[in-house]
């Protein structure tokens, strides 16, 4: 069975890097641009992981964490956010909103294959 991952990443560099790594690993990845669409897909599909760029300008990443973790089907889905290491307030807000793991972009880039493979 293919590992299914959802992502909310609007940075084209990171999105293409994630997509290429997922393809190389045989991992299914679907990108979402809207909060409601991502939350609904997560509850319906129960993915292995949701990856969120906390700097995503197309959706409110903190609200995403709150909404997902408030849903019965979303509470157990692992939620990983990545951020610019200098914005520790954003890291703290994401953890308070329900993110399971929040890591700097550099760590995300370095460990991408391991993160996607599970």
């Amino acid at each position: 069975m293919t590992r299914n991952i959802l992502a909310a990443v609007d940075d084209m560099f990171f999105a293409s890097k994630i997509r290429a790594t997922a393809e190389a690993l045989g991992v299914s990845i679907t990108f979402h641009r809207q909060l409601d669409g991502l939350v609904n897909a997560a509850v319906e599909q129960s993915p292995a992981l949701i990856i969120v760029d906390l700097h995503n300008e197309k959706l409110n990443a903190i609200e995403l964490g709150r909404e997902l973790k408030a849903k019965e089907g979303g509470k157990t889905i692992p939620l990983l956010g990545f951020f610019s290491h200098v914005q520790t307030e954003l890291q703290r807000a994401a953890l308070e909103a329900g993110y399971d793991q929040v890591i700097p972009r550099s760590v995300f880039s370095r460990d991408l294959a391991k993160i996607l493979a599970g």
Side-chain angles (χ1 to χ4, degrees):
M1 187 165 116
T2 303
R3 183 171 160 86
N4 180 34
I5 297 174
L6 302 180
V9 178
D10 67 342
D11 180 299
M12 296 304 282
F13 170 75
F14 277 97
S16 63
K17 184 174 181 168
I18 293 167
R19 182 174 281 114
T21 305
E23 286 177 10
L25 294 170
V27 172
S28 170
I29 188 139
T30 306
F31 290 87
H32 289 268
R33 294 179 173 262
Q34 296 184 351
L35 183 87
D36 291 342
L38 178 56
V39 171
N40 291 337
V43 172
E44 290 172 10
Q45 298 173 21
S46 193
L49 176 67
I50 299 175
I51 297 170
V52 181
D53 180 350
L54 297 177
H55 299 281
N56 189 329
E57 295 181 7
K58 294 193 173 37
L59 60 82
N60 183 327
I62 302 306
E63 186 61 28
L64 168 64
R66 288 188 191 117
E67 282 194 32
L68 181 69
K69 295 302 182 171
K71 298 266 185 190
E72 188 59 39
K75 292 177 182 177
T76 60
I77 300 170
L79 184 58
L80 180 143
F82 63 91
F83 72 107
S84 171
H85 72 280
V86 297
Q87 293 192 320
T88 56
E89 285 183 31
L90 184 58
Q91 177 188 27
R92 190 171 28 261
L95 290 168
E96 289 173 3
Y99 280 75
D100 299 292
Q101 188 176 11
V102 181
I103 59 176
R105 286 178 188 244
S106 59
V107 174
F108 178 76
S109 290
R110 182 192 71 204
D111 295 345
L112 180 58
K114 185 169 45 174
I115 290 167
L116 295 180

